[in-house]
Amino acid sequence: QVQLVESGGGLVQPGGSLRLSCGASVGSLNYYAIGWFRQAPGKEREQISCISSISRRDGPILYADSVKGRFTISRDNAKNTVYLQMNSLKPEDTAVYYCASASGCSRDGNAYDYWGQGTQVTVSS
């Protein structure tokens, strides 16, 4: 079991950057694939990226074309943390961002067992 905690959200101007963190208050993230999702008001949840566990060789996967070249997922195993670096932010990136754990990266959100509480990202001038 793992309990996930996101942090790093906030208000940023268009073109700015934020780095979101996904940590664990209970358990180790190292044995899980970690995905980042977001949900804007009135929109469906969107999967942004996923990074495999340290024991898998699937490699990081970026699902959303809208974030390719702007967002980067990474993990620091020593710190038990997965990061989502977000650059060149746009107003349409405004959403609540969630991290979630799974046994392996999947495009199916139902494959993710544990979810954090979310962190708000607002991109506005």
Side-chain angles (χ1 to χ4, degrees):
Q1 182 180 357
V2 63
Q3 293 184 6
L4 304 177
V5 180
E6 303 95 338
S7 61
L11 174 64
V12 63
Q13 292 186 342
S17 298
L18 282 175
R19 188 178 75 164
L20 304 184
S21 299
C22 176
S25 59
V26 174
S28 171
L29 298 185
N30 294 345
Y31 306 107
Y32 294 92
I34 300 297
W36 281 100
F37 299 77
R38 67 185 181 187
Q39 188 165 22
K43 295 187 177 181
E44 293 186 355
R45 183 178 64 196
E46 176 186 23
Q47 186 169 24
I48 303 169
S49 185
C50 181
I51 189 165
S52 296
S53 68
I54 60 175
S55 62
R56 297 282 297 269
R57 297 182 180 180
D58 300 335
I61 303 172
L62 293 176
Y63 290 109
D65 289 340
S66 58
V67 306
K68 285 181 179 178
R70 299 189 299 123
F71 290 13
T72 304
I73 191 170
S74 63
R75 68 190 311 156
D76 186 329
N77 298 327
K79 294 184 177 180
N80 200 26
T81 302
V82 172
Y83 301 102
L84 184 69
Q85 178 67 45
M86 306 187 297
N87 299 327
S88 302
L89 283 162
K90 305 175 181 180
E92 51 264 42
D93 293 318
T94 296
V96 178
Y97 285 70
Y98 301 88
C99 63
S101 64
S103 58
C105 284
S106 172
R107 296 179 180 273
D108 183 0
N110 292 324
Y112 293 80
D113 301 311
Y114 300 103
W115 293 75
Q117 82 289 350
T119 185
Q120 176 70 47
V121 172
T122 302
V123 184
S124 175
S125 55

